[in-house]
Amino acid sequence: MTKPVDPLDIDFRALQVLIWVHQFRSFTRAAEELGVNQSAVSYTINKLREVFQDPLFVRQSRRLHVTQRCEDIVQQAKRLTVEFRQLTAPPEFDPKTAAQKFVIACNFYERVLIIPDIVKTLTREAPNLELEIIDASGIGHERLMRNEADLLIGPFERSDPQFYRRDLYRDRYVCLLDPAHPMADEPLSLEDYLGLDHVLVTYGGQWRSRYLIELERLGRELKVVLRVPSPAGLEQLVRGSNLVATVPERLSKAVSAGLRTIACPVETSVTIGLVWTAVNHRSPVHMWVRDMIYRLNSRTRTLEDAQAG
Amino acid sequence: MTKPVDPLDIDFRALQVLIWVHQFRSFTRAAEELGVNQSAVSYTINKLREVFQDPLFVRQSRRLHVTQRCEDIVQQAKRLTVEFRQLTAPPEFDPKTAAQKFVIACNFYERVLIIPDIVKTLTREAPNLELEIIDASGIGHERLMRNEADLLIGPFERSDPQFYRRDLYRDRYVCLLDPAHPMADEPLSLEDYLGLDHVLVTYGGQWRSRYLIELERLGRELKVVLRVPSPAGLEQLVRGSNLVATVPERLSKAVSAGLRTIACPVETSVTIGLVWTAVNHRSPVHMWVRDMIYRLNSRTRTLEDAQAG
DNA sequence: TAGTTGCGATCTAATTTTTTGATTTTACTG
DNA sequence: CAGTAAAATCAAAAAATTAGATCGCAACTA
């Protein structure tokens, strides 16, 4: 007739009903409190009676008596519901106490221009967060997918629905030359630019800089004299030579001591952004770090946008 | 469109689903394990996603990745389900450690004949159980209903569906006389009996002994010379007098030192039993005590039954 | 001692939730 | 680029829950 009730069928609402009935010693009052029919309360209590194998409440001369077992159960039920509620509540996140490892994948550019500020902020605001930087070197997205990294920072343009992305700012290209270079004092025309001897930063992997893509689109090609994997040490290569290097403007400031910087005649820019996946999308730590990095770069962003606009 | 899911709607089955999916990293495997459709698992996880405001599981390159939040939730969910399971399990009862108050309502008869053995057993087997005896004096059932007493012991005959009852044994009536009494050496006929001078034990309250009810049924009446509220002190009243007292046989042994005991010619007996209510019906302590009392009186019971049969 | 009342139990029908089975979508993989 | 494994989604079916009405019982009322 009545099939046995599996304990697992009990939901927290049923425990809530139990608690209210216990509180009021009345099915009817509990029903009012919960905004349901008395019959529903009766139904629920019956289910609980089966599950706990105990009458829980017994009517005796007008009063509703509570069995000892019921007292015990209610006490535990209160605890369980409170704990469950806490579990469903959006987790409080306090950067001060958050202690976990956070892995950022990026390359030289970001290590030089973005990471230092991040580290400073973390030291101050989230001293227990352990930061690890790993190389993105062309396979940043893969490393994200493999959960080797929590966050990717860089000039990544893949628009893939499985990646979340937030742009930080755009960076235009500039040319670095030796101050004694014949072309060092004039604005460069595209033709001038193409006529020069270039040192090309490959950034390793299969990355192709935006300005190269743009040149290809125009059907033009650079005269590359030297290829280097990273902008690190560019200054020493360019100084005293007739080479020209094309690098993002912000990066140039870090590697151009003693060099002349002039605008690059190829009309393009690179966009630096954050990339992550659904795994971390709603993690409070992750959201906090993302916001923090975004805020750190807001000055740069508005500057760039002003220039671009 | 989709109405918000209330956290309270989550049942322990849903948490179980979460735990299995987490375990297998697969909706399909979890569904198999739980004997349901993959679609049902999907449905449940979606509900949990809403409640926890977190994707929990994310498909990435064939693997199912687990969010940090999900890890936390699963850990708690495991604890909660285990605790709930323990709560639903029938409570272990160990008389050795059971520490609570147990109130028995009864009268002189039971205090003399039944309680002493109970006390001895409790001291030995349930040393932490605190026993209190209160007077039943006619309102034993009321005291049960008011939860003033946990258990009533006595010759109570009310058959009321709200009371549970278990008979211990039957006790026949005997007559006590002074050894020098003229009738002390013969079996008493009913007419002899009715002709004697009686001392009547009223037991207070509105209790009427079975043998009086039986006499009334026969349309006969006792010649009552003296009424006393309790059998206590009966010995002193009967000795050296021409009075006869009618008492349950077992009780007589406690109050008849130096008196002659002979069978009572009224064909009747009193049944001593335990009475309790639904409030305590399933309480492990209560069940244990009831069983214990029943066992203590098993010898008496079989003796009586043998005599009766 | 009947009439009334309060309150949980119970019944039926309505509603909502959950499950199923089939199909689609997604994100690789070869 | 087709093939595949697995989750998402959809419509229909099944099951659980709720509401509304009524019952039963004990307790008060007069």
Side-chain angles (χ1 to χ4, degrees), chain B:
Chain B
M1 175 127 184
T2 48
K3 69 180 64 170
V5 177
D6 188 322
L8 292 177
D9 285 331
I10 299 303
D11 58 19
F12 288 96
R13 185 176 303 289
L15 297 185
Q16 209 56 45
V17 171
L18 179 76
I19 291 167
W20 282 118
V21 170
H22 176 266
Q23 164 106 212
F24 291 137
R25 307 285 146 115
S26 159
F27 285 35
T28 308
R29 288 257 284 129
E32 283 166 15
E33 184 68 28
L34 293 156
V36 295
N37 202 312
Q38 168 262 322
S39 168
V41 171
S42 199
Y43 174 87
T44 302
I45 297 293
N46 267 331
K47 216 170 51 168
L48 291 167
R49 281 172 170 160
E50 265 203 73
V51 166
F52 291 114
Q53 293 282 303
D54 189 278
L56 306 173
F57 303 100
V58 176
R59 263 177 78 176
Q60 265 177 10
S61 70
R62 187 136 308 188
R63 299 219 160 280
L64 201 61
H65 276 283
V66 177
T67 67
Q68 183 55 49
R69 182 88 202 285
C70 184
E71 293 286 2
D72 298 346
I73 291 167
V74 165
Q75 200 187 341
Q76 294 302 303
K78 280 179 177 166
R79 192 173 55 76
L80 289 177
T81 49
V82 165
E83 288 178 1
F84 180 70
R85 279 220 136 96
Q86 284 172 352
L87 196 57
T88 61
E92 287 285 312
F93 169 67
D94 177 5
K96 279 272 175 282
T97 58
Q100 69 174 74
K101 198 167 150 186
F102 197 99
V103 183
I104 295 179
C106 63
N107 289 319
F108 179 80
Y109 177 100
E110 296 79 22
R111 283 203 290 281
V112 171
L113 294 176
I114 300 182
I115 298 298
D117 284 346
I118 295 178
V119 173
K120 281 197 202 82
T121 308
L122 284 184
T123 312
R124 184 161 27 84
E125 295 184 19
N128 297 309
L129 217 57
E130 186 187 339
L131 183 64
E132 177 176 350
I133 309 297
I134 64 175
D135 226 71
S137 55
I139 55 162
H141 285 80
E142 273 180 54
R143 309 196 85 163
L144 269 188
M145 289 300 267
R146 285 195 238 118
N147 271 30
E148 292 171 11
D150 296 309
L151 181 66
L152 184 58
I153 312 181
F156 306 101
E157 300 186 325
R158 189 163 9 159
S159 84
D160 192 322
Q162 68 189 305
F163 294 109
Y164 292 81
R165 145 156 217 154
R166 185 167 197 185
D167 289 344
L168 293 177
Y169 59 81
R170 283 192 302 182
D171 202 353
R172 290 191 291 185
Y173 287 98
V174 293
C175 300
L176 300 179
L177 309 85
D178 185 87
H181 192 287
M183 312 295 276
D185 297 318
E186 311 276 325
L188 273 181
S189 73
L190 181 57
E191 295 307 322
D192 292 335
Y193 178 71
L194 291 169
L196 297 177
D197 287 340
H198 286 268
V199 49
L200 181 67
V201 183
T202 62
Y203 298 98
Q206 48 279 70
W207 171 253
R208 298 197 63 227
S209 295
R210 291 293 286 153
Y211 73 97
L212 293 177
I213 295 169
E214 177 65 11
L215 281 176
E216 184 177 3
R217 200 180 63 75
L218 297 173
R220 311 303 293 269
E221 203 173 348
L222 281 190
K223 194 170 95 192
V224 177
V225 173
L226 174 66
R227 288 164 195 274
V228 294
S230 151
L234 213 49
E235 187 195 343
Q236 286 72 21
L237 291 175
V238 173
R239 176 147 39 187
S241 79
N242 64 335
L243 292 173
V244 58
T246 307
V247 295
E249 182 176 12
R250 288 199 68 217
L251 181 61
S252 75
K253 289 166 182 155
V255 294
S256 69
L259 299 182
R260 181 67 44 89
T261 302
I262 57 181
C264 172
V266 183
E267 286 282 339
T268 173
S269 64
V270 62
T271 300
I272 304 299
L274 307 178
V275 183
W276 65 96
T277 68
V279 170
N280 292 307
H281 188 51
R282 316 207 53 126
S283 153
V285 187
H286 207 274
M287 289 192 289
W288 183 84
V289 172
R290 269 157 23 211
D291 283 351
M292 182 265 287
I293 298 176
Y294 186 79
R295 270 184 285 108
L296 287 181
N297 289 279
S298 60
R299 172 182 300 277
T300 308
R301 182 168 51 257
T302 42
L303 278 175
E304 290 292 321
D305 286 352
Q307 286 177 22

Side-chain angles (χ1 to χ4, degrees), chain A residues 26-28 38-39 42 49 59 162:
Chain A
S26 160
F27 285 37
T28 309
Q38 168 262 318
S39 164
S42 201
R49 281 172 170 158
R59 260 175 81 173
Q162 68 191 303

